[in-house]
Amino acid sequence: MKLVLEDGSEFAGVGFGEAVVGEIVFNTSMVGYQEILSDPAYAGRIVLMTYPLIGQYGIMDEDYESRAGGPAALVVRECCGTPSNFRYTKTLPEDLEDRGITCMAGVDTRMATRILREGKVRRAAVVDEDVSVAEAQALITSTHTDENPVAKVSCRKRWFSRTPQHTYDVLVIDCGMKHGIVSALNALGCNVTVVPFDTAPEDMMAFNPDGLLFSGGPGSPAALPSIVSAINSLKGRLPIFGIGLGHQLISLSYGAELERMVCGHHGDHPVRCLSTGKIYTVGENHDFAVKASSLKGTLLTLTHVDAADGTVEGVECPEDRVCSVQFYPEGRPGPCETDFFEKFVKMMED
């Protein structure tokens, strides 16, 4: 097999699975590959891992973030088929084969990352070794990109997650939700109802929720004007929390603007809270970001920024009881140091 970037760069390797064409991103995480491979926000993408050894602790059945979707292909330097972990239930190659995810190993991921981080290459193909570069580039050019992948990864009908002696009822709008969100809310005494992304505002309110949460997900926020409209009709009526794609949609509803990032944030990043100066190490997965300059004149206040490049990572509107973060507050590489779900619960309490 080989990886061909749209600029003609070619990387040889070995692997299994069908030929794949899609957007390619590099992820800098050293652990958490199972969470990455089960994150619906990667739906249809080719994920290249910068850490050289992936699969060393196997796959655990109870650690999937979602069964709804994930990347189309995984590209690594070395794929470990002999994990060392008492919890593992299958190896990484077995899991990828079972789920139909193309896997390619033996790639010079360091060189590929140096090309991708320039932001000039966004699409790639994983093809058989006998396919020429010209043929692969033609395949990349002719393959249509799904403009609304949220429709494929969102749930088809509502479902519930209960917790004993609950205090609040939260409605989660599934744009490509990770199950860690539900677990975090359940742990704080919230019953959770999950509904499809295209649920009408009046149908959302029919559940009589104490708060709304718009989840993360794949694709461009521009493909979801109906959700922006729904947020406009709901804000101020009850507390609203947004994560990832949900954060971007909330920002759009207040009149902020988004921009396409050079190569996006995929992996662990340092995020600074502007009110306390505290820095969190959090997981991120996004290619669009809110323009900081566009927040002027809106009701939104900037609350968090990326400590490395200043990217907008969090906003809030206390007047409407709305807050959102670009990163994953439920997905952390270290201790449970973030308190954003607690803040959301406090909003419902107040």
Side-chain angles (χ1 to χ4, degrees):
M1 301 186 79
K2 62 183 176 183
L3 171 69
V4 179
L5 307 182
E6 63 180 336
D7 68 347
S9 301
E10 181 182 17
F11 299 89
V14 296
F16 56 84
E18 298 180 354
V20 171
V21 176
E23 288 194 7
I24 183 169
V25 297
F26 63 88
N27 189 294
T28 57
S29 299
M30 293 186 288
V31 295
Y33 54 80
Q34 181 173 352
E35 288 77 7
I36 292 167
L37 291 170
S38 58
D39 181 357
Y42 281 113
R45 291 188 161 190
I46 300 171
V47 177
L48 182 146
M49 302 296 296
T50 61
Y51 192 72
L53 178 62
I54 301 297
Q56 63 271 38
Y57 53 85
I59 296 292
M60 285 64 70
D61 282 341
E62 64 268 32
D63 288 355
Y64 286 103
E65 284 292 348
S66 174
R67 302 281 184 171
L74 176 69
V75 178
V76 298
R77 178 63 179 174
E78 181 180 349
C79 182
C80 178
T82 56
S84 177
N85 180 4
F86 73 96
R87 291 181 62 235
Y88 91 90
T89 53
K90 63 178 71 172
T91 67
L92 176 59
E94 289 171 340
D95 179 66
L96 295 173
E97 189 172 9
D98 289 347
R99 297 171 59 200
I101 298 176
T102 298
C103 178
M104 184 175 175
V107 176
D108 185 352
T109 54
R110 188 173 182 176
M111 177 57 73
T113 300
R114 293 186 65 176
I115 296 173
L116 295 174
R117 71 182 182 184
E118 297 298 323
K120 299 176 182 178
V121 176
R122 300 194 187 278
R123 307 190 74 213
V126 177
V127 295
D128 291 335
E129 60 181 354
D130 57 351
V131 176
S132 69
V133 172
E135 290 174 327
Q137 287 181 298
L139 184 62
I140 293 171
T141 303
S142 62
T143 301
H144 175 70
T145 299
D146 189 351
E147 296 182 356
N148 186 16
V150 169
K152 293 184 177 180
V153 299
S154 178
C155 61
R156 298 292 180 265
K157 58 182 180 180
R158 61 103 179 96
W159 58 276
F160 306 100
S161 180
R162 306 294 193 186
T163 188
Q165 299 178 335
H166 81 285
T167 306
Y168 301 105
D169 292 288
V170 176
L171 188 71
V172 175
I173 292 77
D174 182 7
C175 300
M177 183 195 69
K178 294 170 64 178
H179 286 179
I181 291 175
V182 175
S183 299
L185 291 171
N186 285 162
L188 292 173
C190 298
N191 275 351
V192 177
T193 302
V194 182
V195 297
F197 79 102
D198 55 356
T199 302
E202 57 270 21
D203 293 332
M204 296 181 192
M205 295 304 294
F207 287 96
N208 195 29
D210 296 304
L212 297 176
L213 191 153
F214 290 84
S215 80
S220 168
L224 301 167
S226 61
I227 300 183
V228 176
S229 177
I231 295 172
N232 273 321
S233 66
L234 293 168
K235 61 190 182 186
R237 299 171 64 180
L238 74 174
I240 298 178
F241 185 32
I243 296 174
L245 179 62
H247 156 79
Q248 297 169 8
L249 294 168
I250 285 174
S251 298
L252 286 176
S253 74
Y254 279 91
E257 299 176 5
L258 301 180
E259 58 185 347
R260 181 74 186 244
M261 304 175 70
V262 174
C263 58
H265 288 172
H266 308 280
D268 301 334
H269 279 255
V271 170
R272 177 183 289 111
C273 175
L274 296 181
S275 63
T276 64
K278 185 175 182 179
I279 293 181
Y280 304 97
T281 301
V282 296
E284 297 190 24
N285 176 17
H286 62 105
D287 289 289
F288 294 88
V290 177
K291 288 184 180 180
S293 59
S294 71
L295 293 176
K296 296 179 180 179
T298 71
L299 296 177
L300 293 176
T301 301
L302 181 64
T303 59
H304 297 80
V305 297
D306 189 289
D309 61 14
T311 301
V312 173
E313 296 288 348
V315 296
E316 68 177 359
C317 178
E319 178 183 347
D320 290 338
R321 294 170 294 175
V322 173
C323 65
S324 65
V325 292
Q326 180 63 75
F327 49 88
Y328 291 145
E330 82 288 352
R332 48 193 175 269
C336 183
E337 60 179 12
T338 61
D339 57 358
F340 300 101
F341 288 105
E342 288 83 352
K343 179 178 180 179
F344 180 45
V345 170
K346 184 64 166 57
M347 290 166 61
M348 291 188 286
E349 178 184 335
D350 293 343

